[in-house]
Structures are given as C-alpha cells and as structure tokens.
Amino acid sequence: MRYILFDSDGVCIQAERFSDVLLREKGITTETTSAFFSTIFQECLIGKRDLKQSLPPYLEEWGIKSSVDELLAYWFSSENKPNTELLNYVQVLRKDGMQCYLATNQEKYRTEYMEHEMGFGNLFDSIFSSANLGFVKPARKFYEIIHTEIGSPNKKEVLFVDNTLENIQSADEFGFQTILYKNFPQCLESLKLLNYPH
C-alpha cells in the first residue's frame, strides 16, 4: 500500500489568495487585512477560534457591509477553482489502489466547504485539516498525527505533495517522500520517477 498526501491551495486548488481578491475587487489593502490574517486567523487555522465569531469587528474596520455568512460565501466561492487535471489523476491513483488524502492548513468552515461544496470528500479517502489536527504545517506534529491516523505505515510509503518549500522540508525531515509541486506536468513526471502509475 502507498499513501499520498496532497496540499490544497496551490496544488489541488489554483486560486489567488482572498486578501488579493479583496484588494482587487473591493480596494481593501493587504495592509488593512494583514492584522487579521497574521493573528486571529492563525488561531482559526488550528481550531482555537471560530472564524464566524472572530470576523464581525474586522468587517466594520474593512468597510464591508455584508453579513459574515455572505462574506464567507463570497470568500469560499472566489477560491473554488479546483485543479481538475490533478484531481482527475488522483482518481486514477485511487483506482490503482493508492490511498489519497488532502493535507491542508485550513479553518473549519472552509474545510467543510471543500469537503461538501467542492466534492473533495468524495475525491479523497479523507481530509486532514489543521483545524481538526490542532497543528499547521510545517509543524512536525501535523505529520505525526496524520501518520498515526493512516495506520502508521513505513514513512517511505507516504508521499507528501505541497507547493511550499518549508512544508516540503519539514515533511522530508519527518521521513516522508516529498514532491515540491510547481505544475501538473512537473508533478506527474516526479511521480513517474517514483514509480507511481501514469
């Protein structure tokens, strides 16, 4: 048995950051939003804060008149850009007997959106989200918990695919095989070199 962990944003999803969307479509600068994304949102990512409860004071500060639910619908739909080519290949891997998982730094509401609205709950064997794990990549505990959850196989039977070098380095140090994702053709070529089906 072989196991593959895929990152979401920048790998299975090809979308611009929401802070960039706010700048482009609403004129809200990243300087304005950075206080939220660099502090409170980081706690949402590990399940210590609830995004819906944390956002209201910032909406007023950003000049957004929408409700929290309306903003989240706008946010999540703006990032609903699945990498269809890669996701189709994931199904090929699964049919060939591979266990494929999503391994993502994500707060709980977008995790649920990805699972149900984007269909990732059916496209992967399971979703490992930082909001449920209590740790974000590149923390070693992120990989330790997943390794245990999938049955503690030989670490070299686990492949981790991510587009962030720091995450790849930490997964490599933990003992997983790794691929630094740049684009689908490059990823496919790397998988071929590791003797994965194509």
Side-chain angles (χ1 to χ4, degrees), residues 37-99:
F37 284 109
S38 64
T39 57
I40 303 299
F41 186 65
Q42 298 305 307
E43 294 189 41
C44 295
L45 289 177
I46 55 173
K48 288 192 177 296
R49 282 182 183 260
D50 185 288
L51 184 61
K52 289 186 178 182
Q53 294 174 8
S54 302
L55 269 173
Y58 290 94
L59 298 194
E60 185 176 345
E61 182 181 316
W62 300 345
I64 293 178
K65 306 299 184 185
S66 309
S67 69
V68 169
D69 285 337
E70 288 170 338
L71 179 72
L72 292 187
Y74 167 63
W75 179 347
F76 299 161
S77 63
S78 77
E79 296 178 328
N80 187 350
K81 293 182 170 54
N83 184 345
T84 306
E85 202 169 25
L86 177 60
L87 292 171
N88 287 341
Y89 179 65
V90 168
Q91 306 322 301
V92 173
L93 294 170
R94 295 179 71 197
K95 286 177 182 175
D96 209 64
M98 311 291 165
Q99 295 285 307

Side-chain angles (χ1 to χ4, degrees), residues 11-31:
V11 179
C12 293
I13 298 171
Q14 299 288 301
E16 61 184 324
R17 294 181 307 170
F18 185 57
S19 56
D20 293 330
V21 173
L22 286 175
L23 174 61
R24 178 170 50 80
E25 296 190 358
K26 306 288 188 183
I28 303 169
T29 66
T30 51
E31 287 78 16

Side-chain angles (χ1 to χ4, degrees), residues 35 53 60 91 110 131 140 148-149 172-173 187 189:
Q53 294 174 8
E60 185 176 345
Q91 306 322 301
R110 186 159 179 249
R140 182 182 178 90
T148 300
E149 288 287 326
D172 190 61
E173 288 168 7
C187 181
E189 191 60 37

Side-chain angles (χ1 to χ4, degrees), residues 43-191:
E43 294 189 41
C44 295
L45 289 177
I46 55 173
K48 288 192 177 296
R49 282 182 183 260
D50 185 288
L51 184 61
K52 289 186 178 182
Q53 294 174 8
S54 302
L55 269 173
Y58 290 94
L59 298 194
E60 185 176 345
E61 182 181 316
W62 300 345
I64 293 178
K65 306 299 184 185
S66 309
S67 69
V68 169
D69 285 337
E70 288 170 338
L71 179 72
L72 292 187
Y74 167 63
W75 179 347
F76 299 161
S77 63
S78 77
E79 296 178 328
N80 187 350
K81 293 182 170 54
N83 184 345
T84 306
E85 202 169 25
L86 177 60
L87 292 171
N88 287 341
Y89 179 65
V90 168
Q91 306 322 301
V92 173
L93 294 170
R94 295 179 71 197
K95 286 177 182 175
D96 209 64
M98 311 291 165
Q99 295 285 307
C100 296
Y101 304 94
L102 200 67
T104 178
N105 288 347
Q106 216 65 242
E107 60 79 39
K108 69 176 183 179
Y109 295 111
R110 186 159 179 249
T111 300
E112 292 169 0
Y113 181 89
M114 290 161 62
E115 180 177 1
H116 301 293
E117 300 302 321
M118 297 184 70
F120 282 11
N122 294 322
L123 296 176
F124 293 92
D125 290 286
S126 191
I127 296 175
F128 294 111
S129 168
S130 60
N132 299 321
L133 301 179
F135 295 91
V136 293
K137 298 173 281 185
R140 182 182 178 90
K141 285 291 290 184
F142 183 92
Y143 310 107
E144 286 180 355
I145 294 170
I146 292 176
H147 185 233
T148 300
E149 288 287 326
I150 62 177
S152 302
N154 183 311
K155 290 179 182 178
K156 289 305 177 187
E157 292 181 342
V158 182
L159 174 65
F160 176 68
V161 182
D162 198 287
N163 67 321
T164 302
L165 181 58
E166 187 179 12
N167 296 341
I168 288 294
Q169 290 172 334
S170 60
D172 190 61
E173 288 168 7
F174 180 67
F176 289 164
Q177 291 193 77
T178 57
I179 291 176
L180 178 62
Y181 187 91
K182 296 178 181 176
N183 54 59
F184 179 68
Q186 165 266 338
C187 181
L188 188 60
E189 191 60 37
S190 298
L191 285 161

